[in-house]
Amino acid sequence: MKALVLNGPKDLEVRDFPQPALADDGVKIAVHYCGLCGTDMHKYNGRAGSRKVIYPVPLGHEISGIVEAVGKNVTDFKVGDRVTADPNWSCGKCFYCRKGMINMCENGRGVVKGMAEYVCPPQENVYHLPDELSLRDASMVEPLSCVLHGLKQLDVKLGDSVLILGLGAIGTMMLEVLAKTKSGPIIVVETQEAKRETALKLGADLFVNPLNEDVNETIRKAGIKNVDRLIECVGAKVTMENIIHYAGKCATIVMFGVGDDANPPLYYSYEAFQKELTIKNSFVNPHTSQMAIDMLNYGVVKVDDFLAGVISLEEMAEEIRNPNLSRKGKVIARIR
Ligand SMILES: [Zn+2]
Ligand SMILES: [Zn+2]
């Protein structure tokens, strides 16, 4: 089959790749769309994604498609069904799974390598799509499911002020969900001035550009006394450092962006101590895929609000080598 294959760090090509085997409990999906994730960029640059990379491997894990065949033990799916798949498989049997921490599964593995013509995940990872939800939009179920886990970690309480750092595709999804449930002000901190209008249109109360203004001063001038909940959606050293400075007293920070162990942020421990901060992380998407499907279907999150382009696999290879569209928002590969 045709796939966008990572042979090794910075070694990417569209080429023929063996089709994954269909297990008795597996579902063979003809992939229609696959989103480009920040972790795909990390993998291209020789870093790990959510897990270690084993070469050669097709990139991508944010898919939608149509069932092409099913294993002999599969009862809930049939040829022609419109589906998406959760790429994170967990065993259900290990210590962590039995404690409900399925994202910490000791036997966990990725079961979708989606920038390819076919994937064959186990049936428990496959989800039916509502008729009204387009396949293009359904490829965003996986990133949204991760966003929803991040928002669970953020645990916004009534009246809390919330700060979103970074308005890429992930930050925009965070904003769309938070804006629908808010009872306090939402602040977006973002260096691309062009995103100011989108932020305000989608429900942010304040847009702050740290290149032009002092973030804390602007927040105070807007009458927001304390920033209670903050979510970091960039994963850069500087943003992961600065978010501690933006946090208010007794605030909770979720580091959603994936950091780089080779270039870790400075941890301002004394400032964190004085403010009594709670700093959390968010790892993949336990039990949030169905919720993500529903939110896309209900229009809580609208893909057009953060989509930068739908391109071919060949164009995707070029995009990963020389990022352009992905700087503006989400890029999705159309496979067929
Ligand atoms: Zn992803
Ligand atoms: Zn397990």
mmCIF file with all atom_site columns, all heavy atoms in Angstrom, residues 6 35-51 53 59-62 142 256-259 284 330:
data_model
loop_
_atom_site.group_PDB
_atom_site.id
_atom_site.type_symbol
_atom_site.label_atom_id
_atom_site.label_alt_id
_atom_site.label_comp_id
_atom_site.label_asym_id
_atom_site.label_entity_id
_atom_site.label_seq_id
_atom_site.pdbx_PDB_ins_code
_atom_site.Cartn_x
_atom_site.Cartn_y
_atom_site.Cartn_z
_atom_site.occupancy
_atom_site.B_iso_or_equiv
_atom_site.pdbx_formal_charge
_atom_site.auth_seq_id
_atom_site.auth_comp_id
_atom_site.auth_asym_id
_atom_site.auth_atom_id
_atom_site.pdbx_PDB_model_num
ATOM 1   N N   . LEU A 1 6   ? 8.292  7.131  7.581  1.00 0.00 ? 6   LEU A N   1
ATOM 2   C CA  . LEU A 1 6   ? 9.483  7.676  8.210  1.00 0.00 ? 6   LEU A CA  1
ATOM 3   C C   . LEU A 1 6   ? 10.495 6.537  8.337  1.00 0.00 ? 6   LEU A C   1
ATOM 4   O O   . LEU A 1 6   ? 10.303 5.598  9.110  1.00 0.00 ? 6   LEU A O   1
ATOM 5   C CB  . LEU A 1 6   ? 9.118  8.238  9.591  1.00 0.00 ? 6   LEU A CB  1
ATOM 6   C CG  . LEU A 1 6   ? 10.174 9.073  10.294 1.00 0.00 ? 6   LEU A CG  1
ATOM 7   C CD1 . LEU A 1 6   ? 10.554 10.297 9.492  1.00 0.00 ? 6   LEU A CD1 1
ATOM 8   C CD2 . LEU A 1 6   ? 9.677  9.485  11.687 1.00 0.00 ? 6   LEU A CD2 1
ATOM 9   N N   . GLY A 1 35  ? -4.993 13.426 10.013 1.00 0.00 ? 35  GLY A N   1
ATOM 10  C CA  . GLY A 1 35  ? -4.458 14.710 10.456 1.00 0.00 ? 35  GLY A CA  1
ATOM 11  C C   . GLY A 1 35  ? -2.971 14.624 10.787 1.00 0.00 ? 35  GLY A C   1
ATOM 12  O O   . GLY A 1 35  ? -2.459 13.563 11.148 1.00 0.00 ? 35  GLY A O   1
ATOM 13  N N   . LEU A 1 36  ? -2.307 15.757 10.666 1.00 0.00 ? 36  LEU A N   1
ATOM 14  C CA  . LEU A 1 36  ? -0.891 15.866 11.052 1.00 0.00 ? 36  LEU A CA  1
ATOM 15  C C   . LEU A 1 36  ? -0.833 16.380 12.486 1.00 0.00 ? 36  LEU A C   1
ATOM 16  O O   . LEU A 1 36  ? -1.398 17.435 12.798 1.00 0.00 ? 36  LEU A O   1
ATOM 17  C CB  . LEU A 1 36  ? -0.176 16.853 10.114 1.00 0.00 ? 36  LEU A CB  1
ATOM 18  C CG  . LEU A 1 36  ? 1.260  17.215 10.470 1.00 0.00 ? 36  LEU A CG  1
ATOM 19  C CD1 . LEU A 1 36  ? 2.187  16.007 10.318 1.00 0.00 ? 36  LEU A CD1 1
ATOM 20  C CD2 . LEU A 1 36  ? 1.754  18.375 9.592  1.00 0.00 ? 36  LEU A CD2 1
ATOM 21  N N   . CYS A 1 37  ? -0.158 15.635 13.339 1.00 0.00 ? 37  CYS A N   1
ATOM 22  C CA  . CYS A 1 37  ? -0.050 15.981 14.767 1.00 0.00 ? 37  CYS A CA  1
ATOM 23  C C   . CYS A 1 37  ? 1.322  16.599 15.030 1.00 0.00 ? 37  CYS A C   1
ATOM 24  O O   . CYS A 1 37  ? 2.286  16.304 14.327 1.00 0.00 ? 37  CYS A O   1
ATOM 25  C CB  . CYS A 1 37  ? -0.215 14.708 15.586 1.00 0.00 ? 37  CYS A CB  1
ATOM 26  S SG  . CYS A 1 37  ? -0.112 14.928 17.364 1.00 0.00 ? 37  CYS A SG  1
ATOM 27  N N   . GLY A 1 38  ? 1.407  17.424 16.071 1.00 0.00 ? 38  GLY A N   1
ATOM 28  C CA  . GLY A 1 38  ? 2.701  17.962 16.480 1.00 0.00 ? 38  GLY A CA  1
ATOM 29  C C   . GLY A 1 38  ? 3.701  16.845 16.766 1.00 0.00 ? 38  GLY A C   1
ATOM 30  O O   . GLY A 1 38  ? 4.903  16.990 16.504 1.00 0.00 ? 38  GLY A O   1
ATOM 31  N N   . THR A 1 39  ? 3.207  15.719 17.274 1.00 0.00 ? 39  THR A N   1
ATOM 32  C CA  . THR A 1 39  ? 4.117  14.614 17.585 1.00 0.00 ? 39  THR A CA  1
ATOM 33  C C   . THR A 1 39  ? 4.692  13.991 16.309 1.00 0.00 ? 39  THR A C   1
ATOM 34  O O   . THR A 1 39  ? 5.782  13.422 16.348 1.00 0.00 ? 39  THR A O   1
ATOM 35  C CB  . THR A 1 39  ? 3.429  13.520 18.430 1.00 0.00 ? 39  THR A CB  1
ATOM 36  O OG1 . THR A 1 39  ? 2.299  13.021 17.716 1.00 0.00 ? 39  THR A OG1 1
ATOM 37  C CG2 . THR A 1 39  ? 2.999  14.047 19.782 1.00 0.00 ? 39  THR A CG2 1
ATOM 38  N N   . ASP A 1 40  ? 3.978  14.095 15.169 1.00 0.00 ? 40  ASP A N   1
ATOM 39  C CA  . ASP A 1 40  ? 4.553  13.618 13.902 1.00 0.00 ? 40  ASP A CA  1
ATOM 40  C C   . ASP A 1 40  ? 5.787  14.445 13.551 1.00 0.00 ? 40  ASP A C   1
ATOM 41  O O   . ASP A 1 40  ? 6.786  13.926 13.049 1.00 0.00 ? 40  ASP A O   1
ATOM 42  C CB  . ASP A 1 40  ? 3.526  13.713 12.765 1.00 0.00 ? 40  ASP A CB  1
ATOM 43  C CG  . ASP A 1 40  ? 2.369  12.731 12.946 1.00 0.00 ? 40  ASP A CG  1
ATOM 44  O OD1 . ASP A 1 40  ? 2.638  11.573 13.303 1.00 0.00 ? 40  ASP A OD1 1
ATOM 45  O OD2 . ASP A 1 40  ? 1.217  13.134 12.725 1.00 0.00 ? 40  ASP A OD2 1
ATOM 46  N N   . MET A 1 41  ? 5.703  15.753 13.820 1.00 0.00 ? 41  MET A N   1
ATOM 47  C CA  . MET A 1 41  ? 6.850  16.637 13.579 1.00 0.00 ? 41  MET A CA  1
ATOM 48  C C   . MET A 1 41  ? 8.004  16.251 14.505 1.00 0.00 ? 41  MET A C   1
ATOM 49  O O   . MET A 1 41  ? 9.159  16.223 14.075 1.00 0.00 ? 41  MET A O   1
ATOM 50  C CB  . MET A 1 41  ? 6.469  18.106 13.829 1.00 0.00 ? 41  MET A CB  1
ATOM 51  C CG  . MET A 1 41  ? 5.329  18.597 12.977 1.00 0.00 ? 41  MET A CG  1
ATOM 52  S SD  . MET A 1 41  ? 5.692  18.492 11.211 1.00 0.00 ? 41  MET A SD  1
ATOM 53  C CE  . MET A 1 41  ? 5.531  20.163 10.710 1.00 0.00 ? 41  MET A CE  1
ATOM 54  N N   . HIS A 1 42  ? 7.672  15.969 15.766 1.00 0.00 ? 42  HIS A N   1
ATOM 55  C CA  . HIS A 1 42  ? 8.715  15.535 16.711 1.00 0.00 ? 42  HIS A CA  1
ATOM 56  C C   . HIS A 1 42  ? 9.398  14.269 16.195 1.00 0.00 ? 42  HIS A C   1
ATOM 57  O O   . HIS A 1 42  ? 10.626 14.151 16.245 1.00 0.00 ? 42  HIS A O   1
ATOM 58  C CB  . HIS A 1 42  ? 8.117  15.243 18.097 1.00 0.00 ? 42  HIS A CB  1
ATOM 59  C CG  . HIS A 1 42  ? 7.560  16.452 18.775 1.00 0.00 ? 42  HIS A CG  1
ATOM 60  N ND1 . HIS A 1 42  ? 6.812  16.371 19.919 1.00 0.00 ? 42  HIS A ND1 1
ATOM 61  C CD2 . HIS A 1 42  ? 7.638  17.760 18.470 1.00 0.00 ? 42  HIS A CD2 1
ATOM 62  C CE1 . HIS A 1 42  ? 6.462  17.584 20.295 1.00 0.00 ? 42  HIS A CE1 1
ATOM 63  N NE2 . HIS A 1 42  ? 6.946  18.448 19.420 1.00 0.00 ? 42  HIS A NE2 1
ATOM 64  N N   . LYS A 1 43  ? 8.587  13.315 15.724 1.00 0.00 ? 43  LYS A N   1
ATOM 65  C CA  . LYS A 1 43  ? 9.145  12.043 15.238 1.00 0.00 ? 43  LYS A CA  1
ATOM 66  C C   . LYS A 1 43  ? 10.050 12.289 14.035 1.00 0.00 ? 43  LYS A C   1
ATOM 67  O O   . LYS A 1 43  ? 11.129 11.703 13.924 1.00 0.00 ? 43  LYS A O   1
ATOM 68  C CB  . LYS A 1 43  ? 8.014  11.084 14.856 1.00 0.00 ? 43  LYS A CB  1
ATOM 69  C CG  . LYS A 1 43  ? 7.245  10.550 16.048 1.00 0.00 ? 43  LYS A CG  1
ATOM 70  C CD  . LYS A 1 43  ? 6.034  9.755  15.585 1.00 0.00 ? 43  LYS A CD  1
ATOM 71  C CE  . LYS A 1 43  ? 5.151  9.400  16.780 1.00 0.00 ? 43  LYS A CE  1
ATOM 72  N NZ  . LYS A 1 43  ? 3.881  8.786  16.366 1.00 0.00 ? 43  LYS A NZ  1
ATOM 73  N N   . TYR A 1 44  ? 9.610  13.143 13.131 1.00 0.00 ? 44  TYR A N   1
ATOM 74  C CA  . TYR A 1 44  ? 10.428 13.466 11.959 1.00 0.00 ? 44  TYR A CA  1
ATOM 75  C C   . TYR A 1 44  ? 11.785 14.021 12.396 1.00 0.00 ? 44  TYR A C   1
ATOM 76  O O   . TYR A 1 44  ? 12.823 13.713 11.809 1.00 0.00 ? 44  TYR A O   1
ATOM 77  C CB  . TYR A 1 44  ? 9.694  14.475 11.071 1.00 0.00 ? 44  TYR A CB  1
ATOM 78  C CG  . TYR A 1 44  ? 10.535 14.997 9.930  1.00 0.00 ? 44  TYR A CG  1
ATOM 79  C CD1 . TYR A 1 44  ? 10.818 14.186 8.832  1.00 0.00 ? 44  TYR A CD1 1
ATOM 80  C CD2 . TYR A 1 44  ? 11.066 16.287 9.959  1.00 0.00 ? 44  TYR A CD2 1
ATOM 81  C CE1 . TYR A 1 44  ? 11.611 14.632 7.792  1.00 0.00 ? 44  TYR A CE1 1
ATOM 82  C CE2 . TYR A 1 44  ? 11.856 16.746 8.920  1.00 0.00 ? 44  TYR A CE2 1
ATOM 83  C CZ  . TYR A 1 44  ? 12.130 15.923 7.849  1.00 0.00 ? 44  TYR A CZ  1
ATOM 84  O OH  . TYR A 1 44  ? 12.921 16.367 6.829  1.00 0.00 ? 44  TYR A OH  1
ATOM 85  N N   . ASN A 1 45  ? 11.762 14.816 13.463 1.00 0.00 ? 45  ASN A N   1
ATOM 86  C CA  . ASN A 1 45  ? 13.003 15.431 13.951 1.00 0.00 ? 45  ASN A CA  1
ATOM 87  C C   . ASN A 1 45  ? 13.794 14.545 14.909 1.00 0.00 ? 45  ASN A C   1
ATOM 88  O O   . ASN A 1 45  ? 14.701 15.011 15.593 1.00 0.00 ? 45  ASN A O   1
ATOM 89  C CB  . ASN A 1 45  ? 12.682 16.779 14.611 1.00 0.00 ? 45  ASN A CB  1
ATOM 90  C CG  . ASN A 1 45  ? 12.283 17.814 13.579 1.00 0.00 ? 45  ASN A CG  1
ATOM 91  O OD1 . ASN A 1 45  ? 12.979 18.027 12.583 1.00 0.00 ? 45  ASN A OD1 1
ATOM 92  N ND2 . ASN A 1 45  ? 11.125 18.444 13.770 1.00 0.00 ? 45  ASN A ND2 1
ATOM 93  N N   . GLY A 1 46  ? 13.421 13.260 14.986 1.00 0.00 ? 46  GLY A N   1
ATOM 94  C CA  . GLY A 1 46  ? 14.208 12.305 15.767 1.00 0.00 ? 46  GLY A CA  1
ATOM 95  C C   . GLY A 1 46  ? 13.831 12.198 17.227 1.00 0.00 ? 46  GLY A C   1
ATOM 96  O O   . GLY A 1 46  ? 14.521 11.552 18.004 1.00 0.00 ? 46  GLY A O   1
ATOM 97  N N   . ARG A 1 47  ? 12.711 12.839 17.607 1.00 0.00 ? 47  ARG A N   1
ATOM 98  C CA  . ARG A 1 47  ? 12.257 12.734 18.995 1.00 0.00 ? 47  ARG A CA  1
ATOM 99  C C   . ARG A 1 47  ? 11.152 11.692 19.103 1.00 0.00 ? 47  ARG A C   1
ATOM 100 O O   . ARG A 1 47  ? 10.601 11.238 18.103 1.00 0.00 ? 47  ARG A O   1
ATOM 101 C CB  . ARG A 1 47  ? 11.727 14.096 19.464 1.00 0.00 ? 47  ARG A CB  1
ATOM 102 C CG  . ARG A 1 47  ? 12.813 15.130 19.610 1.00 0.00 ? 47  ARG A CG  1
ATOM 103 C CD  . ARG A 1 47  ? 12.241 16.540 19.728 1.00 0.00 ? 47  ARG A CD  1
ATOM 104 N NE  . ARG A 1 47  ? 11.251 16.666 20.782 1.00 0.00 ? 47  ARG A NE  1
ATOM 105 C CZ  . ARG A 1 47  ? 10.496 17.763 20.948 1.00 0.00 ? 47  ARG A CZ  1
ATOM 106 N NH1 . ARG A 1 47  ? 10.615 18.785 20.126 1.00 0.00 ? 47  ARG A NH1 1
ATOM 107 N NH2 . ARG A 1 47  ? 9.610  17.823 21.925 1.00 0.00 ? 47  ARG A NH2 1
ATOM 108 N N   . ALA A 1 48  ? 10.806 11.337 20.331 1.00 0.00 ? 48  ALA A N   1
ATOM 109 C CA  . ALA A 1 48  ? 9.693  10.395 20.538 1.00 0.00 ? 48  ALA A CA  1
ATOM 110 C C   . ALA A 1 48  ? 8.374  11.133 20.379 1.00 0.00 ? 48  ALA A C   1
ATOM 111 O O   . ALA A 1 48  ? 8.313  12.357 20.469 1.00 0.00 ? 48  ALA A O   1
ATOM 112 C CB  . ALA A 1 48  ? 9.792  9.799  21.936 1.00 0.00 ? 48  ALA A CB  1
ATOM 113 N N   . GLY A 1 49  ? 7.318  10.393 20.101 1.00 0.00 ? 49  GLY A N   1
ATOM 114 C CA  . GLY A 1 49  ? 5.966  10.957 20.146 1.00 0.00 ? 49  GLY A CA  1
ATOM 115 C C   . GLY A 1 49  ? 5.401  10.632 21.518 1.00 0.00 ? 49  GLY A C   1
ATOM 116 O O   . GLY A 1 49  ? 6.060  10.853 22.526 1.00 0.00 ? 49  GLY A O   1
ATOM 117 N N   . SER A 1 50  ? 4.171  10.096 21.567 1.00 0.00 ? 50  SER A N   1
ATOM 118 C CA  . SER A 1 50  ? 3.650  9.645  22.860 1.00 0.00 ? 50  SER A CA  1
ATOM 119 C C   . SER A 1 50  ? 4.444  8.426  23.318 1.00 0.00 ? 50  SER A C   1
ATOM 120 O O   . SER A 1 50  ? 4.545  8.140  24.499 1.00 0.00 ? 50  SER A O   1
ATOM 121 C CB  . SER A 1 50  ? 2.171  9.281  22.740 1.00 0.00 ? 50  SER A CB  1
ATOM 122 O OG  . SER A 1 50  ? 1.438  10.426 22.392 1.00 0.00 ? 50  SER A OG  1
ATOM 123 N N   . ARG A 1 51  ? 4.989  7.720  22.347 1.00 0.00 ? 51  ARG A N   1
ATOM 124 C CA  . ARG A 1 51  ? 5.832  6.557  22.657 1.00 0.00 ? 51  ARG A CA  1
ATOM 125 C C   . ARG A 1 51  ? 7.080  6.618  21.777 1.00 0.00 ? 51  ARG A C   1
ATOM 126 O O   . ARG A 1 51  ? 7.155  7.406  20.848 1.00 0.00 ? 51  ARG A O   1
ATOM 127 C CB  . ARG A 1 51  ? 5.067  5.265  22.360 1.00 0.00 ? 51  ARG A CB  1
ATOM 128 C CG  . ARG A 1 51  ? 3.838  5.102  23.221 1.00 0.00 ? 51  ARG A CG  1
ATOM 129 C CD  . ARG A 1 51  ? 3.147  3.784  22.975 1.00 0.00 ? 51  ARG A CD  1
ATOM 130 N NE  . ARG A 1 51  ? 2.035  3.628  23.907 1.00 0.00 ? 51  ARG A NE  1
ATOM 131 C CZ  . ARG A 1 51  ? 0.819  4.145  23.745 1.00 0.00 ? 51  ARG A CZ  1
ATOM 132 N NH1 . ARG A 1 51  ? 0.538  4.830  22.646 1.00 0.00 ? 51  ARG A NH1 1
ATOM 133 N NH2 . ARG A 1 51  ? -0.121 3.982  24.648 1.00 0.00 ? 51  ARG A NH2 1
ATOM 134 N N   . VAL A 1 53  ? 9.727  5.690  18.913 1.00 0.00 ? 53  VAL A N   1
ATOM 135 C CA  . VAL A 1 53  ? 9.469  5.390  17.500 1.00 0.00 ? 53  VAL A CA  1
ATOM 136 C C   . VAL A 1 53  ? 10.291 4.181  17.063 1.00 0.00 ? 53  VAL A C   1
ATOM 137 O O   . VAL A 1 53  ? 11.485 4.093  17.347 1.00 0.00 ? 53  VAL A O   1
ATOM 138 C CB  . VAL A 1 53  ? 9.854  6.599  16.611 1.00 0.00 ? 53  VAL A CB  1
ATOM 139 C CG1 . VAL A 1 53  ? 9.477  6.333  15.164 1.00 0.00 ? 53  VAL A CG1 1
ATOM 140 C CG2 . VAL A 1 53  ? 9.175  7.867  17.119 1.00 0.00 ? 53  VAL A CG2 1
ATOM 141 N N   . LEU A 1 59  ? 3.821  7.695  9.327  1.00 0.00 ? 59  LEU A N   1
ATOM 142 C CA  . LEU A 1 59  ? 3.421  8.727  10.287 1.00 0.00 ? 59  LEU A CA  1
ATOM 143 C C   . LEU A 1 59  ? 1.894  8.765  10.390 1.00 0.00 ? 59  LEU A C   1
ATOM 144 O O   . LEU A 1 59  ? 1.193  8.141  9.600  1.00 0.00 ? 59  LEU A O   1
ATOM 145 C CB  . LEU A 1 59  ? 3.951  10.087 9.836  1.00 0.00 ? 59  LEU A CB  1
ATOM 146 C CG  . LEU A 1 59  ? 5.451  10.323 10.048 1.00 0.00 ? 59  LEU A CG  1
ATOM 147 C CD1 . LEU A 1 59  ? 5.819  11.708 9.524  1.00 0.00 ? 59  LEU A CD1 1
ATOM 148 C CD2 . LEU A 1 59  ? 5.822  10.201 11.530 1.00 0.00 ? 59  LEU A CD2 1
ATOM 149 N N   . GLY A 1 60  ? 1.410  9.554  11.355 1.00 0.00 ? 60  GLY A N   1
ATOM 150 C CA  . GLY A 1 60  ? -0.026 9.835  11.447 1.00 0.00 ? 60  GLY A CA  1
ATOM 151 C C   . GLY A 1 60  ? -0.791 8.858  12.313 1.00 0.00 ? 60  GLY A C   1
ATOM 152 O O   . GLY A 1 60  ? -0.454 7.676  12.386 1.00 0.00 ? 60  GLY A O   1
ATOM 153 N N   . HIS A 1 61  ? -1.806 9.382  13.015 1.00 0.00 ? 61  HIS A N   1
ATOM 154 C CA  . HIS A 1 61  ? -2.667 8.532  13.850 1.00 0.00 ? 61  HIS A CA  1
ATOM 155 C C   . HIS A 1 61  ? -4.060 9.112  14.012 1.00 0.00 ? 61  HIS A C   1
ATOM 156 O O   . HIS A 1 61  ? -4.851 8.595  14.781 1.00 0.00 ? 61  HIS A O   1
ATOM 157 C CB  . HIS A 1 61  ? -2.012 8.334  15.227 1.00 0.00 ? 61  HIS A CB  1
ATOM 158 C CG  . HIS A 1 61  ? -1.667 9.634  15.887 1.00 0.00 ? 61  HIS A CG  1
ATOM 159 N ND1 . HIS A 1 61  ? -0.421 10.208 15.805 1.00 0.00 ? 61  HIS A ND1 1
ATOM 160 C CD2 . HIS A 1 61  ? -2.426 10.498 16.591 1.00 0.00 ? 61  HIS A CD2 1
ATOM 161 C CE1 . HIS A 1 61  ? -0.426 11.365 16.450 1.00 0.00 ? 61  HIS A CE1 1
ATOM 162 N NE2 . HIS A 1 61  ? -1.633 11.568 16.926 1.00 0.00 ? 61  HIS A NE2 1
ATOM 163 N N   . GLU A 1 62  ? -4.350 10.215 13.296 1.00 0.00 ? 62  GLU A N   1
ATOM 164 C CA  . GLU A 1 62  ? -5.653 10.895 13.471 1.00 0.00 ? 62  GLU A CA  1
ATOM 165 C C   . GLU A 1 62  ? -6.506 10.596 12.242 1.00 0.00 ? 62  GLU A C   1
ATOM 166 O O   . GLU A 1 62  ? -6.516 11.357 11.287 1.00 0.00 ? 62  GLU A O   1
ATOM 167 C CB  . GLU A 1 62  ? -5.405 12.400 13.606 1.00 0.00 ? 62  GLU A CB  1
ATOM 168 C CG  . GLU A 1 62  ? -4.428 12.739 14.739 1.00 0.00 ? 62  GLU A CG  1
ATOM 169 C CD  . GLU A 1 62  ? -4.049 14.214 14.798 1.00 0.00 ? 62  GLU A CD  1
ATOM 170 O OE1 . GLU A 1 62  ? -4.387 14.987 13.867 1.00 0.00 ? 62  GLU A OE1 1
ATOM 171 O OE2 . GLU A 1 62  ? -3.394 14.599 15.784 1.00 0.00 ? 62  GLU A OE2 1
ATOM 172 N N   . GLU A 1 142 ? -9.440 12.166 17.234 1.00 0.00 ? 142 GLU A N   1
ATOM 173 C CA  . GLU A 1 142 ? -8.309 11.837 18.114 1.00 0.00 ? 142 GLU A CA  1
ATOM 174 C C   . GLU A 1 142 ? -7.700 13.070 18.775 1.00 0.00 ? 142 GLU A C   1
ATOM 175 O O   . GLU A 1 142 ? -7.570 13.119 20.007 1.00 0.00 ? 142 GLU A O   1
ATOM 176 C CB  . GLU A 1 142 ? -7.252 11.021 17.354 1.00 0.00 ? 142 GLU A CB  1
ATOM 177 C CG  . GLU A 1 142 ? -6.239 10.354 18.269 1.00 0.00 ? 142 GLU A CG  1
ATOM 178 C CD  . GLU A 1 142 ? -5.077 11.229 18.704 1.00 0.00 ? 142 GLU A CD  1
ATOM 179 O OE1 . GLU A 1 142 ? -4.855 12.288 18.083 1.00 0.00 ? 142 GLU A OE1 1
ATOM 180 O OE2 . GLU A 1 142 ? -4.400 10.882 19.672 1.00 0.00 ? 142 GLU A OE2 1
ATOM 181 N N   . PHE A 1 256 ? 0.118  20.833 28.492 1.00 0.00 ? 256 PHE A N   1
ATOM 182 C CA  . PHE A 1 256 ? -0.437 19.954 27.455 1.00 0.00 ? 256 PHE A CA  1
ATOM 183 C C   . PHE A 1 256 ? 0.566  19.754 26.309 1.00 0.00 ? 256 PHE A C   1
ATOM 184 O O   . PHE A 1 256 ? 0.684  18.676 25.751 1.00 0.00 ? 256 PHE A O   1
ATOM 185 C CB  . PHE A 1 256 ? -1.753 20.542 26.919 1.00 0.00 ? 256 PHE A CB  1
ATOM 186 C CG  . PHE A 1 256 ? -2.481 19.594 26.014 1.00 0.00 ? 256 PHE A CG  1
ATOM 187 C CD1 . PHE A 1 256 ? -3.399 18.692 26.530 1.00 0.00 ? 256 PHE A CD1 1
ATOM 188 C CD2 . PHE A 1 256 ? -2.240 19.591 24.649 1.00 0.00 ? 256 PHE A CD2 1
ATOM 189 C CE1 . PHE A 1 256 ? -4.051 17.789 25.699 1.00 0.00 ? 256 PHE A CE1 1
ATOM 190 C CE2 . PHE A 1 256 ? -2.889 18.693 23.816 1.00 0.00 ? 256 PHE A CE2 1
ATOM 191 C CZ  . PHE A 1 256 ? -3.797 17.789 24.338 1.00 0.00 ? 256 PHE A CZ  1
ATOM 192 N N   . GLY A 1 257 ? 1.274  20.817 25.955 1.00 0.00 ? 257 GLY A N   1
ATOM 193 C CA  . GLY A 1 257 ? 2.275  20.729 24.893 1.00 0.00 ? 257 GLY A CA  1
ATOM 194 C C   . GLY A 1 257 ? 3.352  19.716 25.272 1.00 0.00 ? 257 GLY A C   1
ATOM 195 O O   . GLY A 1 257 ? 3.694  19.578 26.440 1.00 0.00 ? 257 GLY A O   1
ATOM 196 N N   . VAL A 1 258 ? 3.838  19.005 24.261 1.00 0.00 ? 258 VAL A N   1
ATOM 197 C CA  . VAL A 1 258 ? 4.821  17.945 24.527 1.00 0.00 ? 258 VAL A CA  1
ATOM 198 C C   . VAL A 1 258 ? 6.221  18.555 24.567 1.00 0.00 ? 258 VAL A C   1
ATOM 199 O O   . VAL A 1 258 ? 6.689  19.117 23.579 1.00 0.00 ? 258 VAL A O   1
ATOM 200 C CB  . VAL A 1 258 ? 4.746  16.847 23.448 1.00 0.00 ? 258 VAL A CB  1
ATOM 201 C CG1 . VAL A 1 258 ? 5.777  15.749 23.730 1.00 0.00 ? 258 VAL A CG1 1
ATOM 202 C CG2 . VAL A 1 258 ? 3.338  16.250 23.407 1.00 0.00 ? 258 VAL A CG2 1
ATOM 203 N N   . GLY A 1 259 ? 6.863  18.465 25.719 1.00 0.00 ? 259 GLY A N   1
ATOM 204 C CA  . GLY A 1 259 ? 8.184  19.055 25.898 1.00 0.00 ? 259 GLY A CA  1
ATOM 205 C C   . GLY A 1 259 ? 9.294  18.199 25.291 1.00 0.00 ? 259 GLY A C   1
ATOM 206 O O   . GLY A 1 259 ? 9.054  17.099 24.802 1.00 0.00 ? 259 GLY A O   1
ATOM 207 N N   . VAL A 1 284 ? -2.253 11.468 26.480 1.00 0.00 ? 284 VAL A N   1
ATOM 208 C CA  . VAL A 1 284 ? -3.209 10.885 25.506 1.00 0.00 ? 284 VAL A CA  1
ATOM 209 C C   . VAL A 1 284 ? -4.670 11.034 25.929 1.00 0.00 ? 284 VAL A C   1
ATOM 210 O O   . VAL A 1 284 ? -5.062 12.100 26.421 1.00 0.00 ? 284 VAL A O   1
ATOM 211 C CB  . VAL A 1 284 ? -2.789 9.471  25.035 1.00 0.00 ? 284 VAL A CB  1
ATOM 212 C CG1 . VAL A 1 284 ? -1.423 9.551  24.362 1.00 0.00 ? 284 VAL A CG1 1
ATOM 213 C CG2 . VAL A 1 284 ? -2.857 8.396  26.097 1.00 0.00 ? 284 VAL A CG2 1
ATOM 214 N N   . LYS A 1 330 ? -4.442 23.386 11.605 1.00 0.00 ? 330 LYS A N   1
ATOM 215 C CA  . LYS A 1 330 ? -4.395 21.946 11.367 1.00 0.00 ? 330 LYS A CA  1
ATOM 216 C C   . LYS A 1 330 ? -4.252 21.626 9.880  1.00 0.00 ? 330 LYS A C   1
ATOM 217 O O   . LYS A 1 330 ? -4.911 22.236 9.041  1.00 0.00 ? 330 LYS A O   1
ATOM 218 C CB  . LYS A 1 330 ? -5.682 21.309 11.870 1.00 0.00 ? 330 LYS A CB  1
ATOM 219 C CG  . LYS A 1 330 ? -5.604 19.817 12.006 1.00 0.00 ? 330 LYS A CG  1
ATOM 220 C CD  . LYS A 1 330 ? -4.725 19.471 13.176 1.00 0.00 ? 330 LYS A CD  1
ATOM 221 C CE  . LYS A 1 330 ? -4.579 17.996 13.401 1.00 0.00 ? 330 LYS A CE  1
ATOM 222 N NZ  . LYS A 1 330 ? -3.757 17.702 14.573 1.00 0.00 ? 330 LYS A NZ  1
#
